[in-house]
Amino acid sequence: MNFHIVTLPGDGIGPDVTNEAVRVLKNIAEKFGHQFSFEQQLIGGIAIDETGSALPDETLRACLNADAVLLGAVGGPKWDDPRAKTRPEDGLLAIRKGLGLFANLRPVKPHPALAFASPLREEKIRGVDFVVVRELTGGLYFGKPKERRQENGHLSAVDTMEYHDYEIRRIVDLGFKLAQARKKKLASVDKANVLASSRLWREIATEMHADYPDVKLDHVLVDTAAMRLVTAPASFDVIVTENTFGDILTDEAAVLVGSMGLLPSASLGEGTRGLYEPIHGSAPDIAGKGIANPLGSILSAAMLLRHSLKLEDEANAIERAVDELLSEGCRSADIAREGERVLGTSEMTEQVVKRVISNQ
Ligand code: IPM
Ligand code: MG
């Protein structure tokens, strides 16, 4: 099969890890007999430096013509001036909106061999396996008005949390469908005791439950959800929530596995085209040093194969390789214990590639 993949390495360790994921994808193509063509484009701080825009038109156009997009990371101290006109993060928000990627999937499944790295006790981590479905193109991130004001000698600023029924419906529907294919438990997270948008969310989720009678639906207030993520993380199967709540809860969920360096994510819309990125940031302090953990990006490439290219066996081959190398004690700096041998970015990838090639 032929597929066209756009890569957006971005800033900091973005290029370090994206290169490694591409290397794995090339090996997958060779082993399974596919043709993948890769096209690199600009996003984030580097795009601002080179074109003045965090998401150049050419990048968006290329992504619209791709089967899938693999992104590294954006941002860094160089572009952090709060008064700057454009920020690297604007590129990320614009591409989510521009590609209509309203759903962000972040699976959280700690590897047993890394339970020690979790801030929670091992017995709390046992059995944790859930996925957060975060709404990605609505809520406070995009609602209007969104502005600063000056009135009566005072400054104020406003953000707007607005949700339309159709925005809620399509994301909650995805939550139900995912739950149906898993342990059939959906936690719809809101703040219905305070927010009007949450009350609409809850009303719609309740209504939609009629179409998914086999799924157990729980409405969980976001503060309770934050608490339960650390007290009983294994109780979750699928969590569906709005944009800002999802942003906060996914960082909390991410640290449960011990390192942000391990986690992939997928952003999906109506069609099969999606954007895949590790959930870690650009980590400018270690950029270019060859020590970043590439597994978050490599596992994002696996999600790309599964969700956009519909290549399930190929996705499994990568996930199995990562599983094995972690079981066998391969460690990058972020997940190594005192005295353990530490592998660099490229050596970690080598361990993935080796297993992808030799596994049946
Ligand atoms: C994320 C990030 C982004 C977000 C930032 C970089 C704009 O935190 O993907 O979770 O808030 O969505
Ligand atoms: Mg975030």
Side-chain angles (χ1 to χ4, degrees), residues 89 92-93 96 106 134 136 141 243 247 250-251 277:
E89 291 78 5
L92 200 52
L93 301 186
R96 289 172 181 170
R106 299 189 179 185
R134 167 189 173 192
L136 206 56
Y141 279 63
N243 206 345
D247 178 46
T250 48
D251 265 24
E277 58 178 310

Side-chain angles (χ1 to χ4, degrees), residues 9-296:
D11 308 316
I13 59 168
D16 306 19
V17 298
T18 306
N19 284 340
E20 306 301 318
V22 167
R23 196 168 129 205
V24 172
L25 285 172
K26 285 181 173 160
N27 278 280
I28 286 283
E30 183 161 337
K31 168 153 177 156
F32 290 84
H34 305 300
Q35 300 284 334
F36 296 163
S37 55
F38 295 93
E39 172 185 356
Q40 188 172 315
Q41 292 286 350
L42 296 170
I43 195 167
I46 187 172
I48 295 176
D49 287 354
E50 292 193 19
T51 72
S53 160
L55 180 68
D57 291 344
E58 193 188 326
T59 299
L60 182 58
R61 224 178 0 250
C63 293
L64 285 166
N65 285 318
D67 294 302
V69 181
L70 184 67
L71 186 138
V74 299
K78 183 174 173 198
W79 306 280
D80 251 356
D81 179 355
R83 279 160 308 179
K85 246 186 27 259
T86 22
R87 301 165 53 82
E89 291 78 5
D90 296 339
L92 200 52
L93 301 186
I95 197 163
R96 289 172 181 170
K97 199 73 173 175
L99 297 178
L101 306 173
F102 62 82
N104 184 229
L105 267 50
R106 299 189 179 185
V108 177
K109 188 177 176 184
H111 192 282
L114 296 179
F116 72 87
S118 173
L120 297 190
R121 288 194 303 274
E122 290 204 30
E123 71 260 26
K124 283 245 146 73
I125 286 305
R126 213 169 298 132
V128 169
D129 178 3
F130 62 86
V131 48
V132 183
V133 183
R134 167 189 173 192
E135 201 289 327
L136 206 56
T137 50
L140 288 174
Y141 279 63
F142 296 94
K144 296 276 167 49
K146 183 184 198 63
E147 63 199 18
R148 273 166 81 110
R149 294 169 181 169
Q150 189 156 21
E151 282 163 347
N152 310 325
H154 288 287
L155 280 175
S156 65
V158 58
D159 293 288
T160 303
M161 190 187 277
E162 181 181 32
Y163 271 103
H164 293 96
D165 51 3
Y166 58 88
E167 292 175 294
I168 299 171
R169 221 165 262 130
R170 65 189 180 185
I171 191 81
V172 172
D173 192 60
L174 185 62
F176 272 118
K177 291 207 162 78
L178 274 172
Q180 230 168 17
R182 296 173 46 105
K183 287 172 278 173
K184 302 193 187 333
K185 284 200 298 188
L186 180 64
S188 172
V189 172
D190 63 37
K191 188 71 185 170
N193 52 349
V194 177
L195 302 177
S197 55
S198 280
R199 285 193 281 273
L200 179 63
W201 181 288
R202 190 176 282 214
E203 196 180 304
I204 290 174
T206 305
E207 227 175 78
M208 293 176 68
H209 191 198
D211 296 333
Y212 299 93
D214 54 330
V215 175
K216 182 172 178 307
L217 171 68
D218 271 323
H219 301 285
V220 188
L221 294 172
V222 63
D223 44 354
T224 307
M227 188 178 64
R228 215 187 278 167
L229 272 176
V230 290
T231 53
S235 67
F236 289 110
D237 178 21
V238 178
I239 296 174
V240 65
T241 192
E242 69 86 40
N243 206 345
T244 305
F245 298 162
D247 178 46
I248 298 167
L249 294 180
T250 48
D251 265 24
E252 190 191 359
V255 295
L256 298 180
V257 308
S259 170
M260 302 260 282
L262 290 168
L263 289 184
S265 80
S267 300
L268 308 172
E270 294 293 355
T272 57
R273 184 182 50 237
L275 178 135
Y276 302 82
E277 58 178 310
I279 71 138
H280 60 68
S282 60
D285 51 319
I286 59 165
K289 293 190 178 157
I291 57 174
N293 183 350
L295 295 183

